[in-house]
Structure formats: C-alpha cells, structure tokens
C-alpha cells in the first residue's frame, strides 16, 4: 500500500479560489471580491469553529453535505472550518466528544449548525442526546454562538415531524409562525436553508459568506437567503413548455407522457421558492423533476403538513387553456 495515499489531503490555493469564486457567484457578488474571500478563508483557516447538532432527523442533510465534491466535504470540514462537534461525522465519541462540545461552547463565537426538528411536546422528552433534552442542548449551545444556520426542512420550520405528535418546530418557526421558544437566548443572526435535504452548495456558500463579511446575506421573511430562495420553481421548470401547451402527466407508466408537466400529479412548483432546477444534487447530476417526481415544495414553511398528500392536485394553481 502506498502510505502517502493515507495522508490527509491539504486544501490548496486552487481549492480556495474555487470556494471563493463559487460563493461570489451564488450570492450574486462581483467576482472582484474573490481575492477578499480567499484572504478571509486563509485568515480563518483552522479558526472558524463549527458545532453541528442533530435533533429529529434522518441525517439526510449530513449525507447531502458530505457529497460535496468540489471541493470535497473533507477539505471544507478539516481545512476551511474547524468542526468541533458532529454526532455523525466526528471521529471522537462518548465523553471525548461531549468534552469537545463543552469546551467549544465555553470559548464562544462559533457557528452553530442545526439539523433536524426540535420537539417541544412533553417538555422536550421526545428527543434526548446523552441523557439531555435536545431543547436544553440547543438553548445552551445557541447562547454563545456567533450565528445559527438551520439546515433542511426540519430544522427550519419543523418539516415532516411537524405532522406528528411531538410538536416539532424549527429554531425560530413552527411552520410560518414564530414560536419564540428560544427568545431567552437573545438575538442571534439566524439563517434558514430549507429543502429536504439541504443542498451542500447553499450551506458552504453561506458559511463562507459569514466568515468573509461577518454578516448574513439578504434574507426573506422566513430567514431564507434571497440568492437561493428568491425565484419560483414553476417559472424556471424545464417542463414549463409542456404546461403552456397543455401536455400533462396523467399516467406515470405511459412512455408517451415522458417529460410532460407534472402538475396534475401534485407538483407544487408554482408555490415553491428555490433554485433546485439550477443547483441539482450529487454534483449537479439531477433533482426531483428531472427524475420524474413532482416538486413537493419542501423549501416552503408549510411543508409537509399543509402540502400533503404529495401526489394530489388539490391546489388552485389554475391551468392554461386546453
């Protein structure tokens, strides 16, 4: 075996330039700012601490982030930021892991990433980690955080668990409503990055933006960055032409309907604000609609409780003249 192959790959300046250029492009910034972003990354190398908590989740957002290829997630986690605590990705376990968490909280000034919803019913008894209620862990960790990034539909607005008996919420929102459960923590910059799962590029660019400028990007009323959630899926759909000409999928098994508009199969594209058609998952390989699945509007605060059943055309979107 080549021992050199086991050595941790180092983040090169070329990788820095990729991340910097990507961030500038995603947020609509001038490419002239790329050197400033590179300088911020180099100055923060090894210093930007990140704590990643997981509550009621399927770990899908972690898997999505770990699929980052350019640069790789390992380069981001080990060289661009200092990941101090992540129950799935960290090497430490048991008391070592909990000690690392406590020491980072004591230092303060870190970025807190929350994945999964937070159950409030029964005083938070539905989710505990290491014997502690997740509500208490979130409150204690958020108190000393410099900024909070909620990833995925669950951590932002409650997601699918919100339809269950646990009173699952996001850090700020229960669906579209603010719940004020963590108001005692004090005001914090909170950025919501919904969709199920989160897209790795949105998270990477948001972290780099914060490290570079020390501020959050421009947000909408539900704390989503306009750069990623400012456009309607339906207006940018590759099947929009078939919608306009009245060609709709009525039978998933009919090959003659391949590529037709999915709105009669429950597609929620007309209410979904995101850029999935441009972003795509698995290194820009594919996303729901290109795979033949209706958009379920997982970027919206009322997903899933108010947007189900997923395959029913029960929204009054209107249809073009047939």
């Amino acid at each position: 075996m080549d021992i050199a192959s086991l050595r941790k790959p180092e983040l090169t300046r070329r990788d820095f330039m990729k991340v910097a250029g990507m961030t500038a492009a995603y947020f609509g910034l001038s490419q002239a700012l790329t050197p400033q972003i590179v300088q911020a990354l180099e100055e923060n190398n090894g210093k930007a601490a990140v704590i990643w908590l997981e509550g009621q989740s399927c770990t899908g957002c972690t898997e999505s982030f770990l699929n980052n290829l350019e640069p790789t997630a390992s380069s981001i986690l080990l060289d661009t930021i200092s990941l101090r605590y992540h129950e799935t990705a960290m090497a430490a376990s048991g008391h070592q892991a909990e000690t690392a968490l406590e020491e980072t909280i004591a230092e303060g000034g870190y970025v807190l990433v929350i994945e999964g919803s937070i159950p409030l019913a029964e005083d938070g008894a539905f989710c505990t980690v290491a014997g502690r209620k997740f509500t208490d862990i979130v409150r204690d960790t958020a108190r000393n955080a410099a900024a909070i990034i909620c990833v995925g539909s669950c951590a932002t607005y409650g997601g699918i668990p919100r339809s269950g008996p646990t009173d699952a919420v996001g850090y700020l929102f229960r669906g579209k409503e603010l719940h004020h459960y963590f108001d005692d923590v004090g005001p914090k910059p909170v950025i919501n990055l919904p969709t199920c799962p989160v897209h790795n590029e949105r998270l990477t660019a948001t972290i780099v933006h914060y490290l570079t400028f020390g501020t959050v990007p421009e947000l909408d009323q539900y704390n989503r960055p306009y750069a990623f959630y400012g456009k309607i899926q339906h207006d940018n759909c590759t099947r929009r032409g078939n919608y306009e000409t009245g060609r709709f999928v009525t039978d998933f098994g009919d090959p003659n309907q391949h590529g037709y508009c999915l709105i009669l199969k429950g597609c929620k594209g007309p209410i979904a604000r995101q850029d999935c058609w441009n972003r795509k998952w698995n290194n820009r390989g594919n996303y729901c609609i290109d795979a033949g699945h209706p958009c379920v509007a997982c970027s919206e605060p009322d997903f899933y409780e108010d947007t189900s059943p997923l395959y029913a055309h029960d929204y009054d979107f209107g249809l073009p003249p047939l």
Side-chain angles (χ1 to χ4, degrees):
M1 175 182 289
D2 181 6
I3 301 299
S5 65
L6 300 177
R7 188 176 301 150
K8 178 174 72 66
E10 295 181 354
L11 195 65
T12 65
R13 186 167 182 81
R14 185 167 180 268
D15 293 325
F16 272 126
M17 295 300 292
K18 280 184 180 178
V19 175
M22 176 190 74
T23 301
Y26 292 166
F27 283 106
L29 305 174
S30 169
Q31 290 296 320
L33 291 173
T34 296
Q36 181 181 344
I37 298 174
V38 171
Q39 181 180 2
L41 288 173
E42 291 174 331
E43 291 177 352
N44 280 289
N45 191 16
K47 299 178 182 177
V50 174
I51 293 176
W52 186 310
L53 299 179
E54 291 186 70
Q56 279 188 307
S57 78
C58 63
T59 320
C61 292
T62 290
E63 292 190 23
S64 179
F65 183 65
L66 294 179
N67 280 336
N68 211 64
L69 295 179
E70 293 186 3
T72 64
S74 60
S75 293
I76 295 171
L77 294 176
L78 298 175
D79 298 311
T80 306
I81 64 176
S82 175
L83 183 66
R84 303 290 181 86
Y85 185 87
H86 189 306
E87 291 156 7
T88 302
M90 63 185 175
S93 62
H95 293 296
Q96 284 183 323
E98 296 306 314
T99 299
L101 175 61
E102 293 170 3
E103 290 178 350
T104 305
I105 292 175
E107 290 176 13
Y110 45 85
V111 175
L112 171 60
V113 177
I114 302 176
E115 174 182 2
S117 59
I118 307 167
L120 302 184
E122 302 294 336
D123 193 26
F126 282 100
C127 184
T128 62
V129 180
R132 296 183 64 205
K133 296 175 184 175
F134 190 59
T135 49
D136 294 338
I137 296 173
V138 170
R139 176 173 282 105
D140 291 345
T141 312
R143 203 178 302 279
N144 287 350
I148 301 172
I149 303 176
C150 303
V151 298
S153 303
C154 299
T156 51
Y157 312 116
I160 292 176
R162 189 165 69 89
S163 299
T166 64
D167 190 17
V169 300
Y171 180 78
L172 290 179
F173 290 90
R174 177 188 284 110
K176 291 183 176 179
E177 304 296 328
L178 290 166
H179 55 66
H180 302 288
Y181 189 81
F182 296 106
D183 280 2
D184 59 306
V185 169
K188 300 282 180 181
V190 178
I191 306 166
N192 283 334
L193 301 176
T195 66
C196 183
V198 69
H199 196 288
N200 47 19
E201 293 177 355
R202 294 173 186 145
L203 176 56
T204 302
T206 299
I207 292 176
V208 172
H209 184 284
Y210 183 77
L211 295 179
T212 303
F213 302 105
T215 60
V216 300
E218 185 181 9
L219 306 177
D220 69 8
Q221 61 178 324
Y222 300 117
N223 287 50
R224 300 174 295 190
Y226 276 112
F228 304 134
Y229 303 94
K231 297 179 180 177
I232 295 290
Q233 165 66 42
H234 186 58
D235 294 341
N236 299 276
C237 185
T238 53
R239 303 187 182 216
R240 179 61 184 264
N242 285 312
Y243 171 86
E244 299 293 347
T245 54
R247 291 194 290 264
F248 302 102
V249 173
T250 57
D251 180 359
F252 280 123
D254 185 353
N256 294 321
Q257 297 180 9
H258 178 72
Y260 282 12
C261 176
L262 292 160
I263 205 161
L264 296 183
K265 287 298 184 182
C267 185
K268 312 295 190 296
I271 64 166
R273 290 186 174 275
Q274 29 84 343
D275 60 355
C276 297
W277 76 90
N278 181 44
R279 198 70 50 206
K280 300 186 178 180
W281 270 257
N282 297 322
N283 206 27
R284 303 203 173 209
N286 208 343
Y287 83 117
C288 303
I289 290 179
D290 282 356
H293 192 283
C295 172
V296 299
C298 59
S299 61
E300 298 307 302
D302 43 8
F303 171 80
Y304 147 95
E305 185 166 282
D306 300 319
T307 61
S308 60
L310 300 181
Y311 297 99
H313 177 60
D314 55 0
Y315 272 69
D316 185 19
F317 296 140
L319 295 174
L322 302 178

